[in-house]
Amino acid sequence: MAFSLELDLSGHCIQTEIKRLHNRAVSLYFRSDPETRQSLEQTIEVTRRALESLDFKYLRSRHAPLAGQSDAYVLLIQEDDRIGIVLDGRNIFPDQ
């Protein structure tokens, strides 16, 4: 896995969580030191790509834990320039 972000879906769906992470990273970026910015840039890029490319309606309907109110272990991943989800240890790449 080249890059991953853990998602907390206990209170809301995958789309809301990814938006929340994206907005927080953008906000922190302008107040951070150069070393922290590199990590934030990667978070901003991966979450932006996820928001633009993932079919959240499909993901929520096909995988119930992604609809929220879930304690499932969920990661947003970028692997080989592809965006995907790890749901309880199982990779989901919607473009397959």
Side-chain angles (χ1 to χ4, degrees):
M1 239 177 289
F3 183 78
S4 67
L5 292 168
E6 188 169 347
L7 304 179
D8 176 7
L9 303 185
S10 62
H12 41 258
C13 75
I14 185 172
Q15 185 176 18
T16 300
E17 175 67 358
I18 293 172
K19 282 181 188 177
R20 189 182 69 77
L21 290 173
H22 178 80
N23 291 339
R24 182 173 45 183
V26 169
S27 177
L28 289 172
Y29 180 84
F30 295 105
R31 296 179 287 169
S32 299
D33 58 78
E35 293 169 7
T36 305
R37 284 185 181 162
Q38 186 175 10
S39 170
L40 289 170
E41 286 172 357
Q42 200 166 18
T43 298
I44 291 166
E45 178 62 16
V46 170
T47 54
R48 180 194 61 78
R49 287 187 56 212
L51 290 167
E52 291 176 353
S53 65
L54 294 177
D55 182 346
F56 293 107
K57 184 177 179 180
Y58 171 80
L59 287 170
R60 288 187 301 258
S61 69
R62 175 109 181 184
H63 306 282
L66 301 182
Q69 308 305 318
S70 169
D71 63 353
Y73 181 71
V74 182
L75 296 173
L76 174 65
I77 62 171
Q78 176 180 303
E79 193 173 275
D80 298 328
D81 205 36
R82 294 176 16 193
I83 299 293
I85 306 295
V86 175
L87 174 58
D88 287 332
R90 188 175 52 122
N91 286 2
I92 302 168
F93 285 97
D95 59 348
Q96 289 181 330

